[in-house]
């Protein structure tokens, strides 16, 4: 009938819609209503299904867990530093100490391939745009034989293939950087192209405090995904560059605005070529990675040409057995300019001048066998040969992980009888070797001469996983790692001190300062015995639309054998506590909180090496997101504040820093 008409539209997941219309006599009115969702979720494409339990020590992170954790500025890889078993050199530096191992013993990987520079300098993000990362897999220990060449933890960022019809525009701008990503199908190639890049300008923030230093960085990613998930190919090119400028050596010391010159340049480029094909119950993959690395530091210029081919075959004859075999290789050609004479400013040159051509070759085989519903057994073995101009070394690494279903629990949010609804007992033991590496992972300055020997660790762990109601899960794991030997440990503490008149403590010194010549070389290259042991507890809740996060506690000890006694490693922390929580609110608001506590590091005093403990530190981070829709754009306004309470951190004895890192940004997705 003519006259006013009240229209009400209700739909699940959308706000109630009310509209008044008016019809003239004998009028037919056709309208289109755009109904607003009650929540816009940028991670809605993630489907949380049954999780297959095939690993013992793996922690997998997805969705908001890798992009909305406070204190990470939306960067997936930095979330690892909030997980159990992970300490830090300094909270601002992206060099994790995983289960008491030196940073160079932990692998930073992208789809299983090492990334020579995973993070930009200082508090910068990782070098890969977050939208490439589908999942972060973190192995604090017990990694399968697919991962070789590291005796510590494994941090592997898994990328996802772009869909054939996927269109995406994404930009992100904040106080520290500007970046964007575009994805577009190319029908002529039967492929989808993705282009991304970022430029960081933290030097603008530094300039407010000093004109004696500046920092900038950039990264890029170009990717083509062709074919299908069963039969397809990928071409992936990516790279990054960081430059730290300090006062030029020729500058006038009285100049109030002295000219700056590069003092540290870190950069790399990679071309990753992949081809995979499925033949019934056999999956094959072939891969070749080509690259170029560069490090300029201390007057020495390192550049490396990289080639890393590999091939893997997986055969699944039944639903209870899967067998994988593979071969891997690499060649690194190192060239070096400058710094070829041992000096006080570059004592490491006696080692680095020996660097030449590194070659590695390896083969692996493993099985994932589920003989019954309650047992999962994963044996594997890999063999590797490492060679350079100084020596050739070989290693064989057998590994075994097992799971046993102790009981099933009736949970409303898990399918009865599924892996997610079971209480699991788990255990792992394995041997791990790696070539000697520099104390910190740097592009072009990674591998050290093979003549110093291979590092080895024997890792063992036992644990239990208990699913709880409302998507909570409790995991407890005890571990013991035997390191025999460990070489090129990152160390900062003095070997001994002489008691002063007014102090029993002296400042520790960074590994490249305070020690000279042969003393430094001997300390780095002398093999040591090490061990690490502890207990990790993780209470976690995974949710796509509600509260997510975790509480973790680690009680641990990392030690080195010295003068017939076990003493604490320089970066040993007895207690590690992490609290991460995120909550979606009404009207497209999200809030997050992160709390981190690490007890004090060992310190050398007059009574002995590392005989005391420094002050631990506590840090609070917070993040707030507000999403809105404008035309076809999903806009995310966010504020992310690191160390919001401005609490102090002792970086070395007598040196305390206070900092707060706020950033305000806008992210848009089309």
């Amino acid at each position: 009938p003519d006259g006013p008409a009240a229209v009400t539209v209700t739909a699940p997941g959308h706000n109630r819609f009310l509209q008044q219309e008016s019809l003239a006599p004998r009028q037919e009115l056709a309208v289109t209503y755009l109904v607003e969702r009650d929540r816009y979720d940028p991670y809605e494409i993630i489907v949380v299904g049954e999780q297959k339990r095939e690993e013992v020590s793996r922690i997998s992170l997805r969705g908001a867990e890798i992009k909305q954790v406070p204190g990470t500025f939306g960067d997936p890889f930095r979330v690892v530093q909030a997980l159990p078993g992970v300490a830090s050199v300094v909270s601002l530096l992206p060099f994790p100490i995983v289960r008491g191992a030196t940073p160079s013993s932990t692998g930073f990987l992208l789809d299983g391939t090492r990334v020579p520079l995973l993070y930009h300098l200082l508090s910068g993000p990782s070098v890969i745009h977050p939208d490439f990362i589908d999942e972060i897999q973190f192995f604090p220990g017990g990694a399968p034989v697919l991962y070789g060449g590291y005796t510590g933890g494994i941090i592997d960022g898994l990328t996802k293939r772009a869909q054939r019809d996927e269109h995406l525009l994404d930009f992100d701008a904040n106080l520290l950087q500007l970046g964007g990503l575009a994805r577009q199908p190319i029908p002529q190639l039967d492929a989808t192209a993705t282009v991304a890049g970022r430029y960081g300008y933290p030097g603008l923030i530094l300039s407010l405090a000093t004109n004696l230093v500046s920092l900038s960085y950039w990264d890029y990613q170009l990717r083509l995904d062709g074919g299908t998930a069963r039969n397809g190919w990928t071409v992936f090119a990516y790279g990054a560059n960081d430059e730290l400028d300090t006062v030029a050596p020729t500058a006038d010391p009285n100049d109030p605005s002295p000219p700056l010159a590069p003092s540290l340049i870190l950069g790399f480029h990679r071309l990753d070529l992949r081809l995979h094909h499925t033949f019934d119950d056999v999956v094959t993959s072939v891969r070749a990675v080509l690259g170029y690395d560069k490090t300029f530091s201390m007057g020495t210029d390192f550049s490396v040409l990289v080639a890393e081919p590999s091939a893997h075959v997986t055969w699944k004859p039944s639903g209870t057995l899967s067998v994988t075999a593979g071969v891997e290789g690499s060649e690194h050609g190192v060239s070096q300019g400058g710094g070829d004479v041992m000096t006080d400013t570059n004592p490491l040159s006696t080692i680095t001048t020996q660097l030449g051509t590194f070659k590695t070759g390896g083969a692996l085989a493993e099985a994932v066998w589920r003989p019954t519903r309650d047992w999962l057994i994963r044996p594997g073995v890999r063999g590797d040969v490492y060679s350079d101009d100084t020596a050739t070394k070989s290693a064989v690494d057998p590994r075994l992980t097992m799971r046993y279903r102790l009981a099933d629990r009736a949970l409303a949010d898990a399918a009865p009888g599924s892996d997610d609804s079971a209480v699991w007992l788990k255990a792992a033991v394995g041997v791990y070797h790696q070539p000697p590496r520099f104390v910190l992972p740097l592009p072009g300055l990674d591998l050290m001469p093979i003549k110093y020997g291979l590092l080895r660790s024997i890792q063992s762990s036992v644990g239990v996983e208990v699913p709880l109601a409302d998507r909570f899960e409790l995991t407890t794991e005890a571990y013991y790692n035997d390191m025999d030997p460990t070489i090129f440990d990152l160390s900062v503490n003095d070997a001994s001190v002489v008691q002063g008149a007014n102090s029993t403590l002296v400042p520790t010194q960074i590994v490249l300062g305070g020690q000279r010549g042969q003393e430094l070389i001997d300390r780095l290259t002398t093999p040591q015995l090490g061990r690490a042991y502890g207990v990790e507890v993780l209470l976690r809740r995974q949710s796509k639309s509600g509260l997510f996060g975790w509480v973790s506690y680690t009680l641990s000890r990392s030690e080195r054998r010295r003068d017939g006694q076990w003493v604490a490693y320089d970066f040993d922390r007895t207690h590690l506590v992490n609290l991460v929580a995120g909550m979606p609110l009404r009207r497209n608001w999200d809030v997050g909180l992160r709390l981190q506590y690490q007890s004090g590091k060992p310190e050398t005093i007059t009574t002995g090496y590392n005989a005391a403990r420094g002050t631990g530190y506590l840090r609070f981070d917070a993040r707030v997101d507000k999403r809105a829709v404008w035309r076809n754009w999903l806009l995310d306004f966010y504020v992310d504040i690191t160390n919001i309470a401005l609490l102090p951190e002792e970086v070395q004895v007598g040196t305390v820093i206070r900092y707060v890192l706020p950033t305000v940004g806008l992210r848009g997705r089309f």
Side-chain angles (χ1 to χ4, degrees), residues 324-335:
T324 299
V327 292
E328 302 171 351
S330 70
E331 181 170 344
H332 292 209
V334 181
S335 61

Side-chain angles (χ1 to χ4, degrees), residues 519-651:
E519 180 185 354
L520 171 62
I521 303 303
D522 291 342
R523 182 169 184 177
L524 290 178
T525 60
T526 300
Q528 288 184 302
L529 297 180
R531 67 183 184 184
Y533 49 92
V535 177
E536 300 166 353
V537 180
L538 175 66
L539 177 64
R540 180 183 179 191
R541 186 177 194 270
Q542 295 176 273
S543 175
K544 174 179 173 293
S545 57
L547 174 70
F548 74 89
W550 58 86
V551 180
S552 70
Y553 171 69
T554 302
L555 176 65
S556 62
R557 183 80 170 178
S558 179
E559 300 172 325
R560 302 294 185 265
R561 192 74 172 174
R562 186 183 180 90
D563 298 328
Q565 296 181 336
W566 289 104
V567 296
Y569 176 48
D570 286 9
F571 297 98
D572 172 61
R573 302 204 188 245
T574 306
H575 305 283
L576 303 172
V577 179
N578 287 285
L579 168 63
V580 174
M583 170 66 77
L585 304 177
R586 297 185 61 185
R587 304 188 66 82
N588 291 298
W589 286 88
D590 288 275
V591 296
L593 173 69
R594 174 185 172 190
L595 178 151
Q596 185 176 58
Y597 171 76
Q598 298 190 7
S599 58
K601 296 179 294 187
E603 296 176 346
T604 297
I605 58 174
T606 54
T607 58
Y609 171 70
N610 286 356
R613 292 275 174 173
T615 304
Y617 82 89
L618 179 67
R619 196 177 98 182
F620 291 92
D621 306 330
R623 181 181 175 106
V624 177
D625 289 75
K626 173 65 171 90
R627 281 186 289 277
V629 174
W630 179 73
R631 299 179 182 266
N632 290 327
W633 286 90
L634 175 60
L635 303 177
D636 182 6
F637 301 87
Y638 62 88
V639 177
D640 196 328
I641 305 177
T642 300
N643 199 21
I644 191 172
L646 201 63
L647 297 176
E649 178 182 0
E650 185 181 60
V651 295

Side-chain angles (χ1 to χ4, degrees), residues 281-526:
D281 54 2
V282 176
V283 179
T284 62
S285 63
V286 180
R287 188 174 186 180
V289 178
L290 307 175
Y292 173 78
D293 300 345
K294 179 181 178 64
T295 290
F296 173 83
S297 177
M298 299 188 306
T300 301
D301 190 355
F302 292 92
S303 60
V304 182
L305 294 177
V306 178
E308 298 177 344
S310 63
H312 295 87
V313 177
T314 299
W315 176 45
K316 298 181 179 180
S318 67
T320 60
L321 177 64
S322 173
V323 180
T324 299
V327 292
E328 302 171 351
S330 70
E331 181 170 344
H332 292 209
V334 181
S335 61
Q336 178 181 348
D340 55 355
V341 178
M342 180 174 173
T343 66
D344 289 344
T345 59
N346 186 14
L348 290 176
S349 60
T350 56
I351 297 177
T352 58
T353 52
Q354 305 175 55
L355 301 179
T357 300
F358 291 86
K359 296 180 181 180
T360 65
L364 62 92
E366 74 162 4
V368 179
W369 182 38
R370 202 157 191 168
T372 69
R373 172 177 171 271
D374 296 334
W375 281 96
L376 190 144
I377 304 173
R378 187 171 186 172
V381 63
R382 68 175 294 132
D384 296 282
V385 178
Y386 303 91
S387 176
D388 67 1
D389 299 336
T390 66
T392 299
K393 304 287 184 180
S394 60
V396 177
D397 295 355
R399 304 173 193 176
L400 174 66
T401 62
M402 295 187 297
R403 283 180 169 272
Y404 175 69
R405 185 191 300 262
L406 183 64
D408 286 315
R409 292 175 57 84
L411 300 174
D413 48 10
S418 68
D419 286 0
D420 283 344
S421 65
V423 177
W424 290 94
L425 299 179
K426 56 185 184 179
V429 63
V431 180
Y432 298 78
H433 284 87
Q434 75 169 60
R437 288 192 166 92
F438 188 58
V439 293
L440 294 175
L442 298 174
L445 189 59
D446 176 32
L447 297 174
M448 295 287 101
I450 300 295
K451 74 175 187 179
Y452 293 113
L454 301 180
L455 286 72
R456 184 187 70 166
S457 70
I458 301 177
Q459 302 179 8
S460 56
S461 64
V462 294
V464 60
E465 295 176 0
V466 181
L468 305 174
D470 198 25
R471 302 197 64 83
F472 280 93
E473 181 181 61
L474 177 65
T475 300
T476 302
E477 187 169 336
Y479 68 89
Y480 182 88
N481 295 343
D482 181 79
M483 294 172 269
D484 180 15
T486 177
I487 316 170
F488 288 95
D489 260 351
L490 175 63
S491 57
V492 298
N493 292 356
D494 287 332
S496 62
V497 299
V498 177
Q499 185 173 0
N502 300 314
S503 175
T504 59
L505 298 176
V506 299
T508 56
Q509 295 168 317
I510 300 300
V511 68
L512 296 181
Q515 297 190 63
R516 295 185 176 183
Q518 197 60 43
E519 180 185 354
L520 171 62
I521 303 303
D522 291 342
R523 182 169 184 177
L524 290 178
T525 60
T526 300

Side-chain angles (χ1 to χ4, degrees), residues 111-368:
D111 290 330
T113 295
R114 177 182 173 272
V115 179
L117 178 67
L118 181 60
Y119 300 98
H120 292 294
L121 289 175
L122 297 181
S123 60
S126 68
V127 299
I128 304 298
H129 192 283
D131 258 30
F132 279 100
I133 306 301
D134 179 52
E135 181 178 1
I136 294 291
Q137 292 194 347
F138 172 55
F139 297 85
V145 296
L146 294 174
Y147 298 100
Y150 291 95
T151 56
I154 295 293
I155 302 169
D156 193 4
L158 303 184
T159 63
K160 58 182 178 181
R161 288 177 52 82
Q163 302 298 317
R164 288 184 174 183
D165 58 348
E166 188 175 355
H167 301 261
L168 177 62
L169 288 177
D170 182 288
F171 73 87
D172 188 1
N174 59 45
L175 297 178
L176 300 176
Q177 67 177 27
L178 175 66
L181 177 144
R183 181 168 292 153
Q184 176 67 34
I186 305 178
Q188 297 84 349
L189 298 178
D190 188 26
T192 300
T194 306
V195 180
R198 287 178 293 186
Y199 177 73
Y201 35 83
L204 294 178
I205 303 298
L206 289 174
S207 65
L208 300 178
T210 177
N211 63 349
L212 303 181
V213 63
S214 183
L215 173 65
S216 63
Y217 60 80
W218 51 260
D219 59 61
Y220 70 91
Q221 300 90 44
L222 306 171
R223 177 162 170 154
L224 281 174
D225 290 304
T228 65
R230 288 177 55 86
N231 303 294
W233 53 270
T234 296
V235 177
F236 192 12
Y238 56 95
N241 188 84
D242 285 41
E243 180 175 322
L244 178 67
D245 296 339
T246 57
V247 177
T250 58
D252 182 355
N254 298 319
D255 188 349
S257 299
L260 303 181
S263 61
L264 177 63
I265 299 176
L266 305 175
F268 77 94
H269 304 275
R270 285 292 184 272
L271 177 61
D272 188 349
L273 309 174
R274 313 179 202 175
L275 177 66
H276 64 273
H277 195 84
T278 303
F279 305 91
D280 296 328
D281 54 2
V282 176
V283 179
T284 62
S285 63
V286 180
R287 188 174 186 180
V289 178
L290 307 175
Y292 173 78
D293 300 345
K294 179 181 178 64
T295 290
F296 173 83
S297 177
M298 299 188 306
T300 301
D301 190 355
F302 292 92
S303 60
V304 182
L305 294 177
V306 178
E308 298 177 344
S310 63
H312 295 87
V313 177
T314 299
W315 176 45
K316 298 181 179 180
S318 67
T320 60
L321 177 64
S322 173
V323 180
T324 299
V327 292
E328 302 171 351
S330 70
E331 181 170 344
H332 292 209
V334 181
S335 61
Q336 178 181 348
D340 55 355
V341 178
M342 180 174 173
T343 66
D344 289 344
T345 59
N346 186 14
L348 290 176
S349 60
T350 56
I351 297 177
T352 58
T353 52
Q354 305 175 55
L355 301 179
T357 300
F358 291 86
K359 296 180 181 180
T360 65
L364 62 92
E366 74 162 4
V368 179

